[in-house]
C-alpha cells in the first residue's frame, strides 16, 4: 500500500468527528485559490480540496494550469494525480486508471 491507501485505511478507522477534523485541517491547507484555473464561482461556492471531493460543481470549466503538485496536501496524502477540479478526485482517477490505463485522462 502507498501513502494514499494507508491514509484512507487510517481514516476509515476514525470516528466521524475525527474524520471531519482531519478534512477541515487539510482543507485549510488547500492552495487551489491561488491556482490560475480557480474561478470566482468556485471561490463563491467555497469549493476546495477537489482531490477528495472530486470535480468542481460547474465552476471550473477548463484547466489553465494545476498547482496541486506543489500543495502540501498532495505530499501529505501521497497523491499521484492532479487537475482534480476537472478530472475527478484522486480516488476516481486511480480507479479510471485501473480500467483504462495511464493514457486515459
Ligand atoms: S492537492 Fe490540489 S485539490 Fe488537493 S488540497 Fe492541494 S491544491 Fe487543493
Ligand atoms: S485542482 Fe489543480 S487545477 Fe484545479 S484549482 Fe486546484 S490546483 Fe488548480
Amino acid at each position: 500500500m502507498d501513502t494514499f491507501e494507508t491514509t484512507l485505511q487510517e481514516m476509515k478507522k476514525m470516528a466521524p468527528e475525527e474524520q471531519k477534523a482531519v478534512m477541515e485541517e487539510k482543507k485549510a491547507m488547500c492552495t487551489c485559490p491561488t491556482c490560475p484555473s480557480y474561478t470566482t464561482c468556485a471561490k463563491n461556492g467555497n469549493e476546495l480540496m477537489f482531490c477528495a471531493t472530486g470535480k468542481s460543481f460547474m465552476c471550473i470549466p477548463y484547466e489553465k494550469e494545476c498547482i496541486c503538485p506543489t500543495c502540501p496536501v498532495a505530499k501529505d496524502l501521497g497523491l499521484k494525480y492532479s487537475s482534480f477540479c476537472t478530472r475527478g478526485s484522486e480516488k476516481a482517477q486511480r480507479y479510471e486508471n485501473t480500467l483504462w490505463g495511464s493514457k486515459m485522462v
Side-chain angles (χ1 to χ4, degrees):
M1 279 203 292
D2 66 13
T3 307
F4 181 71
E5 291 163 336
T6 309
T7 307
L8 284 193
Q9 292 295 331
E10 281 169 5
M11 282 191 69
K12 266 190 196 166
K13 292 180 206 154
M14 292 176 188
E17 317 81 66
E18 212 181 336
Q19 287 180 0
K20 199 176 165 207
V22 172
M23 286 298 286
E24 287 303 317
E25 184 200 324
K26 303 284 179 218
K27 207 170 168 183
M29 293 160 68
C30 176
T31 56
C32 285
T34 60
C35 173
S37 302
Y38 200 72
T39 61
T40 307
C41 173
K43 186 181 174 202
N44 292 341
N46 196 27
E47 292 190 351
L48 287 167
M49 225 182 147
F50 303 104
C51 51
T53 60
K55 292 179 189 176
S56 162
F57 189 67
M58 298 194 291
C59 276
I60 302 180
Y62 57 90
E63 299 159 16
K64 289 184 187 164
E65 194 187 326
C66 181
I67 60 167
C68 286
T70 62
C71 172
V73 178
K75 192 170 176 230
D76 273 9
L77 299 182
L79 304 181
K80 286 205 291 196
Y81 292 88
S82 59
S83 300
F84 306 106
C85 61
T86 51
R87 302 183 194 187
S89 68
E90 174 78 10
K91 213 166 157 183
Q93 291 194 56
R94 284 186 181 220
Y95 179 65
E96 276 179 13
N97 187 42
T98 62
L99 295 179
W100 308 108
S102 59
K103 289 196 170 79
M104 182 83 182
V105 289

